[in-house]
Amino acid sequence: MPRLSRRLFLAASAALAARPAAGAVTPGNAVYDVVIVGAGAAGIAAARKIAAARRKFVLIEAADHIGGRCITDTRTFGVPYDRGAHWIHVPDFNPVTKLAARRGLEVYPAPPSQKVRIGRRYAREGELEDFLALQVRADRGIADAARKGDVACAQALPNDLGDWRPAIEFVLGPFGCGKELAQVSAVDFAKSIERNADAFCRQGFGALIAGFAEGIAVKLSTPATLIDMRRDVLVETPNGTISARTAIVTVSTNVIASGAVKFTPELPKRQLDAFAKLSLGSYDHIALELSGNPLGFESDDLVFEKSADTHTAAILANVAGTPLCLIEVAGTFGRELASQGEAAMVNFAADWLAGLYGADLKKAIKRSHATRWNNEPWALGAFSAAAPGGQGARRILMEPMQNSVWFAGEAVHETMWGTVGGAWESGERAADAVLRRLGPVKEPPPEASVSTKRKPPPRKL
Ligand SMILES: Cc1cc2nc3c(=O)[nH]c(=O)nc-3n(C[C@H](O)[C@H](O)[C@H](O)COP(=O)(O)OP(=O)(O)OC[C@H]3O[C@@H](n4cnc5c(N)ncnc54)[C@H](O)[C@@H]3O)c2cc1C
C-alpha cells in the first residue's frame, strides 16, 4: 500500500498525545464524545459529520494511511492507480460525487457500453445485443425469485442462457459481487441499487476520498484491539486506551469475524452471525502498463470475455487515458489465483490477454502490479455480499450495541452495499445516530452574561 502524506495527519495526532497508559482509564469519565475506528470512506464520512456538530472525537486507523479499500497509488506507475475502488457507481445518487465538484477534482462519466471478446475477435453487434439481453433476463430472474423468498442467485438464473452462461455468471457473480452466484443471496442482489451509470475520478477515487479527510485528525498505525462497551466505551490500542462516550466501528466484516478486534461484553450471536453472513468476496486488480496502446483500446474500455468456464477476467483498459490496464480477477478463481502470489497473477493476465489478442502483446507489458486484498490484514477481502438467506444481516448490523457502539461501513447498507457510496452513507447515518444519542451541544453562555468585570464608566464627551 502506498503511504499517503503523513504530514497531513501527523499534526492531528496531537489529540492523543496525552493519552494514559493502557488500562489506566476508568469508565464514566470519557475524554471524547466519539471514537471512530477505521479511516476508510465510512470513518471519514462519520468524522466529517461529528466535526461539523462540534463534538469531540478521535479517529483511529490501524494502517499507516487512510482510505482503507479506496486508495490511489501514484508511485507504482507514475499515474493514478486505484488499488481498491475505482468506479463511482450511480454518480447522480452517490453522496461522494456531490462533494467532489467542490474539491477541484475531475469526475467524468464512464463510457456507457462494454465490449466482449470472443476468441481473437470482438463480438458483433447482434452478439453483443444477445449478451446484454440475456444479462437483463438473468437480472429479472433473480429479482422475481427474490420477491418469493431468498435463494441463491444461481438457482434463479434462467435455464436458457446457452453458451453465454459462463460470461453472464462471471459478470453478475465474481465481477459484480466478488463471489459465485451460488454464494449470493437473491434478495441482497435484487435490493442493490441498479448501477446503470458510472463515473471515474481522473485523479483517482482514493485521492477523492483522501481529499475529504483534509483537516480531520487521524491517528494512524493505531489498531483497536479491544472495545469495552460496559460503561461508556474504552478502546484499547497498542498505543494506549481511549475513552469515549460512544463509538463508531467501521472495520470490515471479515476483520471483525477474524476476531482481530475483541469486544467486552462479547458480541451477541445475532451480531456474530450477521458478520459471518456478510463475508467479503474476492476481487483484485492485476495492473499492467501497456506501452504504445498495442491493442488499440479506447480510454476506459471495459471488455469481457465470452468464456467457456470460470477462469476468466475483465479488462479495464487505458484507465483515464493512461497506458494502465487493469485485469480484474474475482470470485473463487480470483481467490485461488491471488493465493498463489503476485507473479502467478501477472503471468495469468499476460497469458489470458495473449490468448485473446495474440502473443505479441506480451512484449508491450512494462511495469506490473497485482493487489491481494484477501491478504491485506486490515481488510481481509474486497467487499461484502450476503449469503443466501443472509440479507437481513445488514439491518442487524445497524442496531447499536449497549446504546453506545454503532457499526458502519459498506456492509451496513441495504442498497449500496459493496460500494464506497454505501460506506459513506452508512458512516453518515451512524454519525447521525450518535449525535442523537449525545443530544445537543451545550452552547457556552455568551461572554457578556458571565462577565464579572464592571462596565467601564461612560466616556465623558
Ligand atoms: C479491489 C476492489 C475494487 C473495488 N471496486 C469498487 C468500485 O469500483 N466502486 C465502489 O464503489 N466500491 C468498490 N470496492 C468496494 C469499496 O472499496 C468498499 O466498499 C469501501 O471502500 C469500504 O469502505 P469502508 O469504510 O466500509 O471500509 P474500509 O475501506 O475497509 O475502511 C475500514 C478502515 O478500518 C481500518 N481498520 C481495520 N481494522 C482496524 C482496527 N482494528 N483498528 C483501527 N482501524 C482498523 C482499515 O485499515 C480501513 O482503513 C472495491 C473494493 C476492492 C477491494
Side-chain angles (χ1 to χ4, degrees):
M1 281 282 140
R3 279 162 190 262
L4 297 183
S5 162
R6 290 180 73 91
R7 193 161 44 91
L8 202 63
F9 304 106
L10 282 181
S13 306
L16 272 183
R19 66 190 168 246
V25 181
T26 44
N29 209 2
V31 172
Y32 296 99
D33 292 317
V34 196
V35 52
I36 302 167
V37 181
I44 292 168
R48 285 168 58 102
K49 275 235 153 181
I50 305 281
R54 291 183 293 125
R55 282 292 181 180
K56 201 174 170 197
F57 72 95
V58 58
L59 173 54
I60 62 168
E61 166 55 52
D64 62 0
H65 55 266
I66 62 161
R69 286 171 274 165
C70 188
I71 181 162
T72 305
D73 163 6
T74 50
R75 286 193 187 170
T76 306
F77 297 101
V79 295
Y81 161 37
D82 279 322
R83 290 189 174 205
H86 181 63
W87 296 74
I88 305 175
H89 299 302
V90 210
D92 289 349
F93 292 99
N94 204 313
V96 298
T97 350
K98 284 182 223 142
L99 300 164
R102 288 187 235 148
R103 308 216 64 86
L105 299 176
E106 188 192 344
V107 173
Y108 63 97
S113 56
Q114 23 186 282
K115 294 177 177 164
V116 175
R117 201 76 183 158
I118 304 180
R120 291 280 179 91
R121 66 171 177 87
Y122 281 111
R124 300 184 186 99
E125 211 162 305
E127 291 168 321
L128 210 47
E129 276 170 19
D130 287 347
F131 175 57
L132 295 175
L134 288 171
Q135 256 185 72
V136 171
R137 267 174 39 68
D139 253 337
R140 280 205 197 121
I142 295 171
D144 288 346
R147 274 191 284 276
K148 293 177 207 140
D150 202 0
V151 291
C153 289
Q155 268 174 262
L157 285 187
N159 290 325
D160 55 355
L161 299 178
D163 56 1
W164 283 104
R165 177 174 284 270
I168 288 167
E169 285 181 345
F170 171 75
V171 173
L172 302 184
F175 183 74
C177 304
K179 294 181 181 176
E180 309 310 308
L181 288 177
Q183 301 163 341
V184 178
S185 145
V187 176
D188 207 34
F189 188 100
K191 276 205 174 187
S192 153
I193 195 166
E194 202 177 326
R195 297 172 193 174
N196 50 9
D198 297 292
F200 298 120
C201 177
R202 194 168 297 284
Q203 293 80 7
F205 203 172
L208 180 61
I209 293 299
F212 293 142
E214 256 169 48
I216 288 179
V218 185
K219 182 72 185 160
L220 298 173
S221 306
T222 304
T225 52
L226 177 90
I227 300 179
D228 185 337
M229 316 178 278
R230 279 174 297 183
R231 196 173 148 209
D232 290 337
V233 182
L234 296 180
V235 176
E236 276 185 22
T237 79
N239 303 330
T241 300
I242 298 160
S243 67
R245 292 170 65 196
T246 60
I248 297 175
V249 179
T250 73
V251 309
S252 81
T253 53
N254 278 16
V255 169
I256 297 273
S258 76
V261 187
K262 305 250 178 305
F263 289 83
T264 308
E266 277 180 17
L267 290 181
K269 185 172 177 319
R270 179 178 166 80
Q271 267 66 25
L272 288 176
D273 286 351
F275 281 112
K277 284 175 186 162
L278 297 172
S279 67
L280 307 186
S282 184
Y283 191 108
D284 280 299
H285 306 300
I286 307 170
L288 306 177
E289 186 184 30
L290 290 186
S291 68
N293 194 13
L295 307 180
F297 288 127
E298 286 168 48
S299 184
D300 301 303
D301 257 349
L302 176 64
V303 186
F304 294 111
E305 178 195 17
K306 185 178 184 187
S307 57
D309 56 32
T310 56
H311 286 220
T312 188
I315 309 169
L316 183 64
N318 290 11
V319 173
T322 71
L324 193 63
C325 282
L326 303 180
I327 310 303
E328 312 285 71
V329 290
T332 306
F333 167 64
R335 185 183 293 280
E336 281 163 15
L337 181 65
S339 72
Q340 294 165 32
E342 195 176 335
M345 295 171 84
V346 172
N347 281 341
F348 161 78
D351 288 345
W352 180 72
L353 277 181
L356 295 177
Y357 292 94
D360 272 2
L361 140 290
K362 287 191 179 180
K363 292 184 210 141
I365 300 176
K366 304 295 174 207
R367 286 172 286 187
S368 64
H369 178 269
T371 63
R372 296 175 69 215
W373 281 96
N374 303 323
N375 283 35
E376 292 291 339
W378 305 118
L380 296 176
F383 39 83
S384 68
Q391 200 278 336
R394 301 199 188 275
R395 275 214 159 257
I396 292 175
L397 293 190
M398 290 177 200
E399 297 166 5
M401 308 301 307
Q402 315 283 327
N403 203 26
S404 59
V405 174
W406 277 260
F407 293 112
E410 56 87 10
V412 194
H413 200 291
E414 288 200 290
T415 55
M416 292 199 287
W417 51 264
T419 71
V420 173
W424 188 273
E425 210 166 271
S426 94
E428 289 193 329
R429 278 186 202 163
D432 282 338
V434 159
L435 291 172
R436 279 196 298 275
R437 148 81 165 76
L438 293 172
V441 178
K442 288 197 186 81
E443 295 288 340
E447 211 179 309
S449 65
V450 291
S451 172
T452 52
K453 281 184 198 157
R454 270 202 278 155
K455 271 189 185 172
R459 255 193 306 155
K460 283 187 184 139
L461 296 174

